[in-house]
Amino acid sequence: MITVVLADDEKLIRAGLKKILMENLDIPLEITEAKNGEEALAICKEKHPALLITDIRMPVMDGVELMKNVASMNDKPAIIVLSGYDDFPYAKAAIQSGAISYILKPVDKKELITAVNTAIMDSIKEEKERNEQKLRRVFENGRIDGKEGLPELQVKNGLHCITVYGENAGLMVEKVLGENSKRFYVLEQTRNGICIVYPFDGSEVEFNPAVLKDYIVGVSSPADDYSMLRALRKQAIIAAMQAFFNPQDGRPYAEKKRGGIYYYDDGNHVSDFQELEEKYEKMISCCDIEGANVVQKYIEDIFNMFGSEIPNAEAGEISIGNGPKTPANKGKENSEKLYYLFRKITSNMFTRFPGTTDSDMYLHLKSIMIESIFEYSTLNEWKCSIRDYVVYLAALLKTDTKESPYITEALEYIKTHFTKNINMAMVANQVSVNYTWFSEKFKEHTGVNFNEYLKRMRLNEAKKLLEKGCYKVYEVAERSGFSDVKYFMKQFREETGLSPTEWANKHKNMM
């Protein structure tokens, strides 16, 4: 509903203007009349209209004074000025006060409708941009700021997060959603992907079947609270990842993934990612101490989790985990596992060896490709990119240690003992190398000094423990190698920008 204030001291003129607007605009309007500037100003302060249409000559407070007062408001309306005087000073005053149109009386119907349409469309666009900025802050903070709130985004019947992936998804999203779809808010956007917030009225979104074959659409569960944005975005992405799995048998598609709509299943969750976590850690931790064949084997072990043998749709249900699961449910479970793996790779693999990855252009470009998972036609193609990245990374790391084989031994020792009270002197002595020489070579290989490397390993371990959600902060500190809890909390905040508790709460919703 768009609120409009009509300010004119002549009742018949107000009635005529109101009739023109109500009969010629398809937009739902709430039109409030005012007989002078003072009355119009009071209404503007109370109702915060999108548009003010005002005469110049009025008793008590004229249009020029009204516009000056309105111009100082935080959420000032667009202004259209009406005047029976073709006088430049009035036009100049109106423009200086922010009027977007100056229309002479007698009012031309077409000119008025055009001016009002333009003003309302600009107002809707500005409101949408303000709301999107607020939503992004809520998403980034994980909560609604009580000082700002979302007064322009009242949730009455609920909302979805919807992701759309495909060529020029941002430009095509309105066609994908269909002509009858309501306004939506863009939460984030890439070249071929977009995530939107879609308030709804209790019915499903009316997607356009004519274009769905070319676009993957993921729809979250409904929610009634904007503070749920992180969880809803995660659900929408997980839903979209079902496109990589055949609904008939739950296995990854061998051919190009299918477009269409995929809904998040609120009643079908995977809560235990321990096996996937262990396989990932085996793969990433051997990059600097094993050859390409071993690394590739671990990658295959990870992706075999998505293609394990299960009966086909005609063979009935099978038991997986704590209860019976159909092949279709297997595909939904796999999409959750895929999201977990995607998060591990993009948040951990690219930063695990900063001394190597930060300076190599191939790895940088490859990481950008891997992050764009929906650009791949099949899951196997994405796996091949990960394999290329890891094998290349392993080769670089092995080259770095070829002339200093003791570095490999040192790294293995650190990975085995980093939760204990170790230091560089102990490690240098373990590999029988001069302390100073070891320090120089270690930094050449890893890109950071020994203490920084050790701290990062401990912080990465702390993150994993916090994400499990079953340990207290002091237990996490001890288990990850920090003997001083206060020091651990300080280092953790410097590294992540969050306290350990905030990190745990954040990933409780995101993972």
Side-chain angles (χ1 to χ4, degrees):
M1 182 72 70
I2 301 297
T3 302
V4 179
V5 175
L6 285 176
D8 196 298
D9 59 325
E10 296 187 39
K11 186 175 181 180
L12 289 178
I13 291 179
R14 295 198 305 270
L17 292 172
K18 184 173 182 178
K19 186 173 185 293
I20 291 173
L21 297 180
M22 297 299 290
E23 291 180 352
N24 292 275
L25 292 174
D26 295 330
I27 304 169
L29 299 175
E30 177 191 352
I31 299 178
T32 304
E33 299 178 35
K35 59 181 177 293
N36 58 58
E38 186 176 83
E39 191 174 309
L41 179 61
I43 295 171
C44 287
K45 290 180 177 179
E46 177 188 354
K47 296 199 170 188
H48 307 286
L51 176 62
L52 167 64
I53 302 175
T54 181
D55 189 16
I56 285 287
R57 295 273 186 166
M58 293 184 294
V60 185
M61 179 188 290
D62 65 18
V64 174
E65 189 65 24
L66 169 61
M67 286 186 287
K68 288 180 180 178
N69 280 278
V70 167
S72 64
M73 294 172 58
N74 290 329
D75 49 355
K76 56 189 176 184
I79 302 173
I80 294 176
V81 175
L82 309 177
S83 177
Y85 298 85
D86 187 8
D87 192 290
F88 178 73
Y90 286 112
K92 182 179 179 181
I95 293 170
Q96 289 176 338
S97 299
I100 61 170
S101 294
Y102 186 90
I103 301 175
L104 292 176
K105 293 180 177 180
V107 174
D108 179 81
K109 177 179 173 181
K110 289 184 179 180
E111 185 180 5
L112 176 65
I113 295 301
T114 299
V116 171
N117 259 323
T118 300
I120 289 176
M121 290 302 103
D122 287 346
S123 175
I124 290 174
K125 182 180 178 181
E126 289 175 3
E127 180 191 0
K128 185 172 185 288
E129 290 174 351
R130 287 196 303 271
N131 287 334
E132 286 176 348
Q133 290 175 359
K134 292 177 181 178
L135 287 171
R136 287 166 189 156
R137 283 198 295 270
V138 172
F139 175 75
E140 290 170 2
N141 297 332
R143 65 183 185 278
I144 295 176
D145 189 334
K147 295 180 180 179
E148 293 184 8
L150 296 169
E152 299 171 55
L153 284 170
Q154 300 300 323
V155 181
K156 295 181 180 179
N157 298 300
L159 58 107
H160 289 295
C161 263
I162 300 174
T163 54
V164 181
Y165 298 101
E167 187 175 358
N168 296 319
L171 300 176
M172 292 293 293
V173 64
E174 291 187 11
K175 290 186 178 180
V176 172
L177 295 180
E179 295 181 358
N180 297 324
S181 296
K182 305 189 298 296
R183 281 188 293 165
F184 58 85
Y185 304 98
V186 178
L187 190 60
E188 57 184 4
Q189 185 174 353
T190 59
R191 184 170 63 90
N192 288 331
I194 188 170
C195 179
I196 65 172
V197 179
Y198 189 97
F200 74 116
D201 57 7
S203 60
E204 294 299 338
V205 184
E206 296 183 10
F207 295 101
N208 181 359
V211 296
L212 275 180
K213 62 182 179 63
D214 297 319
Y215 292 89
I216 295 171
V217 180
V219 184
S220 74
S221 300
D224 58 3
D225 186 349
Y226 282 105
S227 65
M228 293 289 291
L229 283 179
R230 281 184 177 174
L232 295 181
R233 170 187 172 271
K234 171 192 168 185
Q235 290 179 6
I237 296 173
I238 290 174
M241 285 182 172
Q242 293 176 46
F244 287 102
F245 302 97
N246 193 320
Q248 298 305 314
D249 58 20
R251 300 177 186 178
Y253 277 120
E255 300 176 354
K256 184 176 181 180
K257 62 185 182 293
R258 273 59 170 175
I261 309 170
Y262 300 88
Y263 293 92
Y264 182 77
D265 186 353
D266 232 352
N268 187 54
H269 293 293
V270 179
S271 57
D272 185 2
F273 298 97
Q274 183 176 350
E275 183 182 2
L276 181 57
E277 176 77 25
E278 290 174 353
K279 289 180 180 291
Y280 170 81
E281 279 302 319
K282 284 182 180 179
M283 180 272 292
I284 196 67
S285 63
C286 78
C287 284
D288 54 353
I289 57 176
E290 298 287 357
N293 290 338
V294 176
V295 172
Q296 291 185 71
K297 177 184 178 298
Y298 283 132
I299 293 173
E300 292 299 327
D301 285 346
I302 292 172
F303 281 87
N304 282 341
M305 295 184 68
F306 302 111
S308 57
E309 291 294 324
I310 61 173
N312 59 34
E314 297 178 355
E317 296 185 349
I318 60 173
S319 179
I320 303 176
N322 296 323
K325 301 292 182 181
T326 64
N329 283 340
K330 182 65 176 177
K332 292 178 180 179
E333 284 186 349
N334 274 340
S335 68
E336 291 211 37
K337 291 179 182 177
L338 179 58
Y339 178 81
Y340 185 89
L341 178 61
F342 175 77
R343 289 275 304 164
K344 289 297 297 184
I345 287 172
T346 55
S347 64
N348 180 273
M349 188 175 79
F350 300 152
T351 59
R352 190 72 168 244
F353 304 97
T356 302
T357 57
D358 289 354
S359 59
D360 191 274
M361 184 56 67
Y362 174 82
L363 292 178
H364 174 68
L365 295 175
K366 203 71 176 179
S367 68
I368 294 174
M369 293 171 62
I370 292 170
E371 285 176 340
S372 304
I373 185 172
F374 289 97
E375 297 280 345
Y376 292 84
S377 295
T378 66
L379 191 58
N380 187 60
E381 289 184 7
W382 190 63
K383 178 190 75 174
C384 290
S385 277
I386 294 170
R387 181 197 63 203
D388 293 345
Y389 182 100
V390 176
V391 169
Y392 182 84
L393 172 62
L396 288 181
L397 294 172
K398 292 293 285 184
T399 300
D400 288 344
T401 58
K402 191 173 182 180
E403 295 180 359
S404 307
Y406 54 84
I407 292 293
T408 300
E409 184 182 349
L411 293 173
E412 182 63 28
Y413 181 84
I414 295 169
K415 287 171 183 176
T416 307
H417 298 84
F418 73 90
T419 59
K420 299 178 182 179
N421 184 24
I422 63 173
N423 55 47
M424 189 169 69
M426 293 171 60
V427 177
N429 184 62
Q430 178 69 26
V431 297
S432 303
V433 175
N434 175 269
Y435 178 91
T436 304
W437 180 258
F438 176 80
S439 175
E440 292 177 1
K441 289 299 179 182
F442 187 90
K443 187 171 183 178
E444 284 180 15
H445 173 73
T446 63
V448 294
N449 62 39
F450 177 87
N451 288 335
E452 181 66 20
Y453 184 87
L454 183 61
K455 184 183 75 173
R456 289 185 182 183
M457 287 203 72
R458 289 172 171 172
L459 288 173
N460 283 334
E461 178 69 11
K463 291 174 186 177
K464 290 188 288 184
L465 293 173
L466 288 167
E467 289 164 15
K468 291 180 183 294
C470 58
Y471 297 109
K472 295 180 180 179
V473 173
Y474 76 88
E475 292 176 318
V476 170
E478 291 176 358
R479 288 172 176 266
S480 56
F482 291 93
S483 58
D484 186 327
V485 177
K486 290 184 178 179
Y487 175 76
F488 161 65
M489 295 174 68
K490 179 177 181 293
Q491 294 300 314
F492 194 92
R493 183 176 287 280
E494 288 181 0
E495 169 74 13
T496 66
L498 301 172
S499 71
T501 302
E502 289 171 338
W503 180 274
N505 291 335
K506 173 183 175 182
H507 287 79
K508 181 179 179 181
N509 292 328
M510 296 184 69
M511 300 301 291

PDB file of all heavy atoms in Angstrom, residues 104-115:
ATOM      1  N   LEU A 104       1.519  22.836 -13.644  1.00  0.00           N
ATOM      2  CA  LEU A 104       0.652  24.011 -13.639  1.00  0.00           C
ATOM      3  C   LEU A 104      -0.818  23.615 -13.646  1.00  0.00           C
ATOM      4  O   LEU A 104      -1.212  22.615 -14.241  1.00  0.00           O
ATOM      5  CB  LEU A 104       0.946  24.884 -14.864  1.00  0.00           C
ATOM      6  CG  LEU A 104       2.312  25.583 -14.895  1.00  0.00           C
ATOM      7  CD1 LEU A 104       2.476  26.337 -16.218  1.00  0.00           C
ATOM      8  CD2 LEU A 104       2.461  26.534 -13.719  1.00  0.00           C
ATOM      9  N   LYS A 105      -1.622  24.417 -12.952  1.00  0.00           N
ATOM     10  CA  LYS A 105      -3.063  24.256 -12.991  1.00  0.00           C
ATOM     11  C   LYS A 105      -3.610  25.027 -14.191  1.00  0.00           C
ATOM     12  O   LYS A 105      -3.077  26.091 -14.535  1.00  0.00           O
ATOM     13  CB  LYS A 105      -3.696  24.796 -11.710  1.00  0.00           C
ATOM     14  CG  LYS A 105      -3.364  24.001 -10.459  1.00  0.00           C
ATOM     15  CD  LYS A 105      -4.061  24.630  -9.252  1.00  0.00           C
ATOM     16  CE  LYS A 105      -3.814  23.838  -7.984  1.00  0.00           C
ATOM     17  NZ  LYS A 105      -4.485  24.442  -6.806  1.00  0.00           N
ATOM     18  N   PRO A 106      -4.680  24.567 -14.820  1.00  0.00           N
ATOM     19  CA  PRO A 106      -5.408  23.322 -14.558  1.00  0.00           C
ATOM     20  C   PRO A 106      -4.527  22.109 -14.885  1.00  0.00           C
ATOM     21  O   PRO A 106      -3.817  22.110 -15.889  1.00  0.00           O
ATOM     22  CB  PRO A 106      -6.627  23.401 -15.459  1.00  0.00           C
ATOM     23  CG  PRO A 106      -6.212  24.307 -16.556  1.00  0.00           C
ATOM     24  CD  PRO A 106      -5.265  25.298 -15.952  1.00  0.00           C
ATOM     25  N   VAL A 107      -4.608  21.125 -14.032  1.00  0.00           N
ATOM     26  CA  VAL A 107      -3.720  19.971 -14.133  1.00  0.00           C
ATOM     27  C   VAL A 107      -4.052  19.122 -15.352  1.00  0.00           C
ATOM     28  O   VAL A 107      -5.218  18.778 -15.600  1.00  0.00           O
ATOM     29  CB  VAL A 107      -3.828  19.107 -12.852  1.00  0.00           C
ATOM     30  CG1 VAL A 107      -3.022  17.824 -12.999  1.00  0.00           C
ATOM     31  CG2 VAL A 107      -3.360  19.902 -11.646  1.00  0.00           C
ATOM     32  N   ASP A 108      -3.000  18.795 -16.115  1.00  0.00           N
ATOM     33  CA  ASP A 108      -3.162  17.867 -17.234  1.00  0.00           C
ATOM     34  C   ASP A 108      -3.136  16.433 -16.681  1.00  0.00           C
ATOM     35  O   ASP A 108      -2.197  16.032 -15.990  1.00  0.00           O
ATOM     36  CB  ASP A 108      -2.031  18.062 -18.243  1.00  0.00           C
ATOM     37  CG  ASP A 108      -2.142  17.108 -19.415  1.00  0.00           C
ATOM     38  OD1 ASP A 108      -2.920  17.378 -20.327  1.00  0.00           O
ATOM     39  OD2 ASP A 108      -1.435  16.064 -19.373  1.00  0.00           O
ATOM     40  N   LYS A 109      -4.183  15.686 -16.989  1.00  0.00           N
ATOM     41  CA  LYS A 109      -4.351  14.347 -16.425  1.00  0.00           C
ATOM     42  C   LYS A 109      -3.161  13.441 -16.736  1.00  0.00           C
ATOM     43  O   LYS A 109      -2.603  12.780 -15.846  1.00  0.00           O
ATOM     44  CB  LYS A 109      -5.643  13.732 -16.967  1.00  0.00           C
ATOM     45  CG  LYS A 109      -5.911  12.319 -16.513  1.00  0.00           C
ATOM     46  CD  LYS A 109      -7.237  11.835 -17.109  1.00  0.00           C
ATOM     47  CE  LYS A 109      -7.470  10.369 -16.819  1.00  0.00           C
ATOM     48  NZ  LYS A 109      -8.739   9.884 -17.404  1.00  0.00           N
ATOM     49  N   LYS A 110      -2.725  13.404 -17.985  1.00  0.00           N
ATOM     50  CA  LYS A 110      -1.617  12.536 -18.378  1.00  0.00           C
ATOM     51  C   LYS A 110      -0.319  12.943 -17.694  1.00  0.00           C
ATOM     52  O   LYS A 110       0.482  12.103 -17.267  1.00  0.00           O
ATOM     53  CB  LYS A 110      -1.445  12.558 -19.904  1.00  0.00           C
ATOM     54  CG  LYS A 110      -2.559  11.849 -20.662  1.00  0.00           C
ATOM     55  CD  LYS A 110      -2.264  11.828 -22.156  1.00  0.00           C
ATOM     56  CE  LYS A 110      -3.367  11.088 -22.919  1.00  0.00           C
ATOM     57  NZ  LYS A 110      -3.099  11.065 -24.378  1.00  0.00           N
ATOM     58  N   GLU A 111      -0.103  14.265 -17.612  1.00  0.00           N
ATOM     59  CA  GLU A 111       1.113  14.753 -16.977  1.00  0.00           C
ATOM     60  C   GLU A 111       1.146  14.357 -15.503  1.00  0.00           C
ATOM     61  O   GLU A 111       2.184  13.949 -14.970  1.00  0.00           O
ATOM     62  CB  GLU A 111       1.201  16.276 -17.110  1.00  0.00           C
ATOM     63  CG  GLU A 111       2.512  16.858 -16.582  1.00  0.00           C
ATOM     64  CD  GLU A 111       2.574  18.371 -16.733  1.00  0.00           C
ATOM     65  OE1 GLU A 111       1.572  18.982 -17.162  1.00  0.00           O
ATOM     66  OE2 GLU A 111       3.636  18.938 -16.394  1.00  0.00           O
ATOM     67  N   LEU A 112      -0.014  14.463 -14.841  1.00  0.00           N
ATOM     68  CA  LEU A 112      -0.088  14.102 -13.423  1.00  0.00           C
ATOM     69  C   LEU A 112       0.168  12.607 -13.229  1.00  0.00           C
ATOM     70  O   LEU A 112       0.960  12.212 -12.352  1.00  0.00           O
ATOM     71  CB  LEU A 112      -1.462  14.471 -12.864  1.00  0.00           C
ATOM     72  CG  LEU A 112      -1.709  14.057 -11.405  1.00  0.00           C
ATOM     73  CD1 LEU A 112      -0.764  14.815 -10.476  1.00  0.00           C
ATOM     74  CD2 LEU A 112      -3.173  14.296 -11.010  1.00  0.00           C
ATOM     75  N   ILE A 113      -0.498  11.776 -14.036  1.00  0.00           N
ATOM     76  CA  ILE A 113      -0.337  10.327 -13.896  1.00  0.00           C
ATOM     77  C   ILE A 113       1.116   9.921 -14.129  1.00  0.00           C
ATOM     78  O   ILE A 113       1.676   9.092 -13.403  1.00  0.00           O
ATOM     79  CB  ILE A 113      -1.263   9.569 -14.870  1.00  0.00           C
ATOM     80  CG1 ILE A 113      -2.729   9.824 -14.510  1.00  0.00           C
ATOM     81  CG2 ILE A 113      -0.966   8.084 -14.858  1.00  0.00           C
ATOM     82  CD1 ILE A 113      -3.094   9.406 -13.105  1.00  0.00           C
ATOM     83  N   THR A 114       1.755  10.501 -15.148  1.00  0.00           N
ATOM     84  CA  THR A 114       3.163  10.190 -15.440  1.00  0.00           C
ATOM     85  C   THR A 114       4.058  10.578 -14.271  1.00  0.00           C
ATOM     86  O   THR A 114       4.938   9.809 -13.856  1.00  0.00           O
ATOM     87  CB  THR A 114       3.617  10.926 -16.709  1.00  0.00           C
ATOM     88  OG1 THR A 114       2.819  10.488 -17.824  1.00  0.00           O
ATOM     89  CG2 THR A 114       5.088  10.637 -16.998  1.00  0.00           C
ATOM     90  N   ALA A 115       3.829  11.786 -13.732  1.00  0.00           N
ATOM     91  CA  ALA A 115       4.650  12.267 -12.619  1.00  0.00           C
ATOM     92  C   ALA A 115       4.464  11.398 -11.377  1.00  0.00           C
ATOM     93  O   ALA A 115       5.436  11.047 -10.686  1.00  0.00           O
ATOM     94  CB  ALA A 115       4.302  13.717 -12.298  1.00  0.00           C
TER      95      ALA A 115
END
